[in-house]
Amino acid sequence: MRAANIVVLSLLALLASAEDKKLSNHATTLADNSANLAFSLYHNMAKDKNVENILISPVVLASSLGMVALGGKASTASQVKTVLSADKLKDEHLHAGLSELLTELSDADKRNTTWKINNRLYGPSSVSFSDDFVKSSKKHYKYDHSKINFRDKRSAVNSINEWAAKATDGKLPEITKDVQNADGAMIVNAMFFKPHWDERFHDKMVDTRGFLVTRSHTIGISMMHRTGLYDFYDDEVNRIYVLNMPLGQKQASMILIMPYHLEPLERLEKLLSKKQVDTWISKMTNKAVAISLPKISVDVSHNIQKYLAELGLTEAVDKAKADLSNISGKKDLYLSNVFHASAVELDVDGNPYDTSIFGTEKLKNPKLFYVDHPFIFLVKDNKTNSIMYIGRVVKPKGDKMRDEL
């Protein structure tokens, strides 16, 4: 009997150690590097006057670049590592580290939240994918592969959009309206993310409010309300509120960053960096906060090829210079499009809330966090310190309510 108990305890210890297993040094380094890359990409995109809402997943972005490095040779591959700030990593450590990071963060059961990630590499109908590349890119990066006739643009666009819609249960109905450069390879990331709050909002605490896009443009949206104990920081110097909303099993959090009042986000964005976010988080204190948060769904599709080129990925996207011969065995491909598409849905769903604090001193005089104007958010994994998402909501879906003077 004693021996059996020892075996059981040993098994439980092994399970506990597996559960608490930390990321390898390579994966941890790549988590930091991917976050810094995503902040740089965000800044480049924010400068584009045609871009409104932004949604970027650093982990998925880094995984896609890892897939490009896997398919590349010579300077094309080494340049990808430079963009990822991973020049010193051996190739096997790069791919193993990124694979470990993606596998850990996309485990929805551990985090009790919905995150569907679908990646596909499209090639022109003339290409033949190498068996080794297909096997390795599926193993490390969970990539599917498909050949498509890009010259029949209507059919190609319909096929891509249908795949993305099906992969995200209809949350991404349209990735693109057109396909440029029909002779190259195309990356498509199609994702759906829905936070599961550690403490849910009450179904009946939802009403219609106005979201101020600009002083003359107000959109009607549903707004969720609740009061609870949250980590919060009031940056009085920069006139910015920062709130930490735990998700699921508290392994991840959504960090909301918002200026005091309606204003263009440029001023806040100039401050935005991984270091600054870490500073804000370090200064948070737990206190009563009355939250009003938009109950919205935001879906965007960014063709980030040109922004990646601005960050140094110049060879893979250049038909004359690209060497992606590990993909097909021939030097016949370059990266013509990189679609990074996401749908993020904010809803009331979550764990039961703690009723024991209602009516107590703990909830007295709560700080107000009223999200009725453009804001920035991050989804941060607390176990690995990785950033799963970074984005901004400037213009949610909704009907225009009125013009204001």
Side-chain angles (χ1 to χ4, degrees), residues 5-54:
N5 287 339
I6 292 173
V7 170
V8 170
L9 289 171
S10 298
L11 287 171
L12 289 173
L14 284 171
L15 288 171
S17 64
E19 187 71 23
D20 296 336
K21 183 182 177 183
K22 294 182 178 179
L23 289 181
S24 67
N25 290 336
H26 304 311
T28 300
T29 298
L30 289 163
D32 288 340
N33 294 355
S34 66
N36 289 324
L37 173 63
F39 276 103
S40 298
L41 178 62
Y42 178 100
H43 284 294
N44 278 17
M45 295 172 67
K47 293 174 188 174
D48 191 330
K49 299 301 181 184
N50 295 318
V51 175
E52 293 178 332
N53 301 325
I54 294 176

Side-chain angles (χ1 to χ4, degrees), residues 359-374:
T360 69
E361 290 292 313
K362 290 182 178 180
L363 292 186
K364 193 175 180 181
N365 300 321
K367 296 290 293 186
L368 299 180
F369 193 82
Y370 192 79
V371 187
D372 70 340
H373 53 277

Side-chain angles (χ1 to χ4, degrees), residues 166-194:
K166 184 177 180 181
T168 58
D169 296 329
K171 301 297 183 179
L172 282 173
E174 185 176 85
I175 292 284
T176 182
K177 295 181 183 295
D178 194 13
V179 176
Q180 302 294 326
N181 304 322
D183 54 350
M186 175 193 294
I187 286 175
V188 180
N189 307 133
M191 295 165 279
F192 171 57
F193 183 81
K194 183 178 180 180

Side-chain angles (χ1 to χ4, degrees), residues 55-69:
L55 294 174
I56 303 167
S57 172
V59 179
V60 174
L61 170 63
S63 298
S64 294
L65 289 175
M67 189 275 297
V68 176

